[in-house]
Amino acid sequence: MTLQVFGLPVARGVAIGKAVLVASSRVDVAHYFINADQIEAEIGRVRQARNTVADELSTLKREMPDDAPPELSALLDVHLMLLHDESLTGATKQWIRERHYNAEWALSAQLEVLARQFDEMDDDYLRERKADVEQVVERLLRALARGESSALAPAAGKVVEDWGGEEPLVLIANDIAPADMLQFKQSVFKGFVTDVGGKTSHTAIVARSMDIPAIVGAREASRLIRQDDWVIIDGDAGVVIVDPSPIVLEEYRFRQRQSELERERLARLRHTPAITLDGEQVELLANIELPQDAPAALQAGAVGVGLFRSEFLFMNREGELPGEDEQFEAYRAAVQAMQGLPVTIRTVDIGADKSLERLSLSELRHEHTLNPALGLRAIRWSLSEPSMFRMQLRAILRASVFGKVRLLIPMLAHAGEIRQTFEIIARAKQQLRDAGTPFLDVEVGAMIEVPAAALMIPLFLRYFDFVSVGTNDLIQYTLAIDRADESVSYLYDPWHPAVLRLIAGTIAEARGASKGVSVCGEMAGDPAFTPLLLAMGLRSFSMHPSQIASVKQRILRSDTSKLALHVAQTLGSDDPQASFRKLAGDAGQIH
């Protein structure tokens, strides 16, 4: 039966595929694909876990005291029976063979199938047996976790290979952590849906960066959608259609083809210089997370990397920080891949929605704070760990020998932080000189993402060579909105007058001081904001490679000399969005 689930559209387009459910479990479950030659080894892990749990249950039954209630023995028999039932372990092996899931994922996927079957049973007693299945699966998952770690699990930062099956897949989950998104990054899924999240949650941002249709905040999606259901994700309307009729399916397939044609048209702009109608040259840079993303930036026509989010090198590492040499190799790989174009590397921005989940350093108290976005994150954490910070700085400086490198410092707000940062940079340089390690002087920039920094921009411009406006956090902190909290996400407003005035003031001050200024947050990659940012004087945008073509199209159609005439009136309005659209639209400057 066809049903519709509604949520927030966060990445445009249409995706059609079979549903893959990532079940939420009381036991952490790793999700990754395996290669064909690894299937038997992974099935061996399931077999070993089943034998381990069978021994445990048999021992419990054998050592049960005489006065134990008979029901307990009967319950253990049920669990043993379920453990050896082909509908559990046999079907789990089938997921591994046919879908190439790892053992943990295959178990949780089969649990979803069985749980729904039990939910549909009319008999109350049989329906309640679902809890027994869940308990058996959790025992198996714990046995897998206790056993020897799978040699097939992807190494930290390694992008998992693409799904090799023929059927398109879409991901359905309660939520997806940023670290998990790394595992799903390379087009394994054609789209995804989550129960929670807002338009600017990290999940939504990554969806847009992957350029795949996505819907968040769909509430009951992971409960209503079954494993292997055919699903349509309408990323324009925010609708998920489950088990669509043939007519609906054909209509959306037509829309899918139209969307692909539009992408092909935009792709032709790749080598066209980003110059406005009045001759203003605009710099379009790429945001990347890993060195492997650099080729996509070049392919999209980026003239450099405006933001290399180095924190992704620190994630999925089982509590182990990357060493200096490992970081250096990653930065060098990105710099060399950009073939002489500039690469701006941001120092680690751990905290808020990007945490080091299993890192055991006691200094990471932000893991336990009520609001990690206001806690020990970004430069605050780096300054609290000076040896780690110097290690990262040395690695970045060493990479400067291989191309044009710029250094970017996140979340600065205090003059004391600025001075302390430059002292540590100087110390890192001296350590390299003492060791005879070559490096070049690099430009140092500051992220403007805290209102205090935007209001103190003259001070920042005395210290830094350039500034980069991180609009995601700037909006969050200006409006006191946790962008990951769906209950207040509707208040997150990039068009808020206070936000626009802070951005406009930062751009104007930087241009007046002849210092470089860019925007690297979500607003930079949203074509709806391109004319206004151009009108404010912005000439450097940094975004995910997939967004460059659509932003370039808006730039090619814009006349900045005419757009600039409307900035003052727009910033003075209570409703800047309506004001700018009316003024510029009436003058024929927004197409």
Side-chain angles (χ1 to χ4, degrees):
M1 181 183 71
T2 300
L3 63 93
Q4 294 183 343
V5 182
F6 296 88
L8 299 172
V10 294
R12 296 172 63 85
V14 172
I16 302 171
K18 280 197 166 186
V20 172
L21 267 70
V22 176
S24 56
S25 169
R26 284 168 284 181
V27 178
D28 288 335
V29 175
H31 300 83
Y32 54 90
F33 290 99
I34 61 173
N35 296 326
D37 60 353
Q38 299 167 327
I39 289 173
E40 292 308 317
E42 200 69 357
I43 288 174
R45 293 183 66 221
V46 175
R47 189 181 300 112
Q48 180 61 44
R50 184 192 63 189
N51 293 341
T52 299
V53 173
D55 289 344
E56 290 173 356
L57 294 176
S58 297
T59 301
L60 282 172
K61 186 178 177 184
R62 188 170 57 251
E63 296 178 356
M64 194 174 296
D66 294 336
D67 58 350
E71 291 82 5
L72 188 53
S73 177
L75 180 61
L76 290 174
D77 285 334
V78 169
H79 283 202
L80 280 164
M81 179 188 69
L82 289 170
L83 190 64
H84 293 284
D85 195 310
E86 281 297 299
S87 66
L88 179 58
T89 52
T92 296
K93 295 172 187 175
Q94 194 172 347
W95 285 113
I96 295 171
R97 285 198 177 94
E98 295 182 1
R99 195 63 67 79
H100 293 197
Y101 290 174
N102 67 301
E104 291 86 348
W105 191 358
L107 270 168
S108 60
Q110 185 57 18
L111 172 60
E112 287 289 327
V113 172
L114 293 175
R116 292 185 187 281
Q117 291 175 0
F118 278 103
D119 284 339
E120 292 171 356
M121 291 179 178
D122 295 328
D123 186 281
D124 290 342
Y125 174 81
L126 292 175
R127 195 162 52 244
E128 289 171 5
R129 298 286 62 79
K130 180 177 79 169
D132 294 317
V133 179
E134 291 172 341
Q135 289 164 13
V136 169
V137 170
E138 288 198 9
R139 276 188 173 274
L140 285 166
L141 290 171
R142 288 194 177 96
L144 285 167
R146 287 197 308 270
E148 196 173 304
S149 295
S150 173
L152 316 175
K158 178 188 174 192
V159 179
V160 178
E161 291 185 12
D162 227 339
W163 157 241
E166 296 180 0
E167 295 171 335
L169 306 178
V170 296
L171 183 65
I172 313 294
N174 177 258
D175 196 13
I176 309 170
D180 292 335
M181 288 301 296
L182 285 177
Q183 308 299 341
F184 299 137
K185 189 173 180 182
Q186 203 175 32
S187 301
V188 173
F189 298 103
K190 304 303 181 186
F192 67 82
V193 180
T194 63
D195 296 342
V196 301
K199 286 193 173 184
T200 53
S201 64
H202 192 84
T203 305
I205 292 170
V206 174
R208 284 189 287 272
S209 76
M210 291 166 68
D211 197 24
I212 61 174
I215 294 172
V216 301
R219 303 288 182 176
E220 299 293 311
S222 67
R223 189 182 65 83
L224 295 172
I225 299 172
R226 303 167 183 267
Q227 197 79 241
D228 269 6
D229 273 349
W230 277 99
V231 171
I232 295 172
I233 299 174
D234 185 339
D236 299 311
V239 179
V240 185
I241 304 171
V242 185
D243 192 19
S245 67
I247 294 175
V248 171
L249 195 59
E250 187 53 41
E251 178 187 342
Y252 273 97
R253 282 186 173 142
F254 174 76
R255 286 180 52 183
Q256 218 175 19
R257 290 191 292 271
Q258 293 296 105
S259 179
E260 288 166 2
L261 288 172
E262 176 62 21
R263 279 196 175 95
E264 289 173 10
R265 282 194 290 269
L266 286 174
R268 295 172 193 157
L269 299 175
R270 182 169 63 247
H271 300 301
T272 304
I275 301 175
T276 64
L277 292 173
D278 56 324
E280 288 286 312
Q281 181 123 14
V282 180
E283 183 181 55
L284 294 181
L285 305 168
N287 296 344
I288 67 173
E289 282 91 39
L290 295 167
Q292 299 96 308
D293 300 335
L298 287 175
Q299 181 69 17
V303 296
V305 170
L307 177 63
F308 181 161
R309 297 184 174 99
S310 66
E311 56 271 13
F312 284 88
L313 298 174
F314 290 67
M315 300 169 77
N316 285 347
R317 300 190 59 91
E318 302 284 338
E320 177 188 353
L321 289 172
E324 180 179 333
D325 287 343
E326 182 183 343
Q327 289 189 59
F328 161 66
E329 292 295 342
Y331 305 141
R332 182 179 69 171
V335 171
Q336 290 179 322
M338 290 305 295
Q339 304 174 12
L341 296 174
V343 176
T344 303
I345 303 173
R346 183 177 68 185
T347 60
V348 61
D349 186 9
I350 289 298
D353 58 355
K354 298 189 291 293
S355 61
L356 302 183
E357 290 87 350
R358 290 175 291 277
L359 199 59
S360 58
L361 295 176
S362 60
E363 288 80 4
L364 283 178
R365 292 182 294 274
H366 69 277
E367 289 288 334
H368 309 291
T369 56
L370 291 175
N371 192 338
L374 300 179
L376 191 66
R377 62 165 292 198
I379 190 60
R380 299 172 182 176
W381 181 54
S382 294
L383 293 177
S384 74
E385 285 287 327
S387 61
M388 180 283 303
F389 192 27
R390 286 193 301 270
M391 180 193 300
Q392 182 175 34
L393 291 170
R394 289 194 303 269
I396 294 171
L397 289 167
R398 287 168 60 189
S400 67
V401 177
F402 297 90
K404 183 174 175 55
V405 172
R406 305 200 305 172
L407 180 63
L408 184 59
I409 312 298
M411 206 183 166
L412 290 160
H414 301 271
E417 289 175 334
I418 296 174
R419 288 191 289 269
Q420 192 178 353
T421 296
F422 277 98
E423 288 169 5
I424 294 179
I425 293 173
R427 176 65 178 145
K429 289 180 177 180
Q430 189 58 49
Q431 288 174 332
L432 290 176
R433 290 190 194 99
D434 294 343
T437 305
F439 69 92
L440 301 178
D441 278 331
V442 300
E443 291 185 346
V444 182
M447 289 283 292
I448 305 299
E449 50 193 338
V450 178
L455 294 171
M456 294 166 57
I457 191 65
L459 170 69
F460 278 67
L461 294 172
R462 289 204 298 272
Y463 281 92
F464 292 97
D465 300 304
F466 67 97
V467 293
S468 186
V469 183
T471 55
N472 304 341
D473 274 332
L474 184 62
I475 297 165
Q476 170 174 251
Y477 292 129
T478 301
L479 303 181
I481 300 299
D482 183 349
R483 56 194 174 100
D485 185 345
E486 60 178 307
S487 64
V488 293
S489 62
Y490 68 97
L491 294 171
Y492 185 96
D493 181 13
W495 285 99
H496 193 287
V499 172
L500 296 183
R501 290 169 198 170
L502 289 174
I503 295 172
T506 299
I507 294 171
E509 290 279 356
R511 285 171 61 90
S514 298
K515 294 290 181 76
V517 56
S518 67
V519 170
C520 64
E522 282 292 289
M523 286 175 68
D526 187 343
F529 288 99
T530 304
L532 178 58
L533 291 173
L534 289 171
M536 291 177 178
L538 186 70
R539 297 297 180 265
S540 180
F541 296 66
S542 189
M543 66 204 74
H544 190 274
S546 66
Q547 299 165 321
I548 288 176
S550 56
V551 170
K552 183 183 287 188
Q553 185 181 60
R554 294 302 297 265
I555 290 169
L556 296 173
R557 297 174 178 177
S558 297
D559 186 326
T560 60
S561 61
K562 294 178 180 177
L563 288 170
L565 300 174
H566 310 301
V567 171
Q569 194 170 342
T570 298
L571 296 179
S573 170
D574 293 338
D575 188 351
Q577 183 176 12
S579 174
F580 185 74
R581 283 181 175 171
K582 183 177 189 309
L583 292 167
D586 288 349
Q589 291 146 26
I590 294 183
H591 305 283

